[in-house]
Amino acid sequence: MQPSDPYQAVRAELAALRHQVTGVRGCVIAGVDGLLILHDTETGPEPHDIAALAAGAHGISRTCGAALNQGTFQEVTIRNQGGYLAVYAVGELALLAVIGDSGLNIARLHLEARPVTSRLASLLRIQTVETSGYFG
């Protein structure tokens, strides 16, 4: 008998996001340090590379927020000729990175992804830096 996947609910959230929003090509959960936690990708860029890119986008966005006195990081969207990379905060220690093609409806992605980040934080039991500084 095979043990159950402790991340089954997390994987279901990622798959649902990919299926609900046309143009989503993959989802990655990464630590703010750029290390890959989980992914739901079919083809394309290496998930470890996406995790590192998400951390880089988070870092510069967090610095901008601090310099402009606008508060903590929430999300950043990068649009290129061929598609998108959207990065969302999942608690204080993790990120949800979503890869989209050029046909992605970014407004729809934001509407769908924002509540997903709260559920992911709960499912992953992500603790805040102030309380413990680790993934629980």
Side-chain angles (χ1 to χ4, degrees):
M1 184 171 185
Q2 196 171 2
S4 65
D5 179 1
Y7 298 109
Q8 183 176 1
V10 174
R11 293 180 198 283
E13 287 283 353
L14 298 181
L17 187 59
R18 187 167 46 83
H19 292 293
Q20 289 171 347
V21 182
T22 302
V24 171
R25 295 293 164 240
C27 301
V28 168
I29 299 176
V32 294
D33 58 1
L35 295 178
L36 179 66
I37 297 172
L38 290 169
H39 69 92
D40 179 58
T41 56
E42 293 178 347
T43 60
E46 168 64 38
H48 291 280
D49 294 341
I50 298 168
L53 291 170
H58 166 261
I60 195 156
S61 297
R62 186 185 63 211
T63 301
C64 288
L68 299 172
N69 199 25
Q70 293 178 335
T72 59
F73 172 79
Q74 298 297 303
E75 64 190 54
V76 63
T77 302
I78 299 169
R79 180 176 179 222
N80 297 299
Q81 184 178 13
Y84 295 85
L85 171 64
V87 180
Y88 303 89
V90 177
E92 293 181 18
L93 298 175
L95 305 166
L96 168 63
V98 180
I99 302 294
D101 63 24
S102 60
L104 175 69
N105 180 334
I106 195 67
R108 171 87 191 276
L109 175 63
H110 289 327
L111 287 173
E112 298 289 340
R114 289 171 181 154
V116 168
T117 61
S118 295
R119 293 192 299 269
L120 289 174
S122 178
L123 289 168
L124 292 169
R125 296 179 300 150
I126 295 175
Q127 307 294 312
T128 62
V129 175
E130 292 82 27
T131 59
S132 67
Y134 73 105
F135 297 98

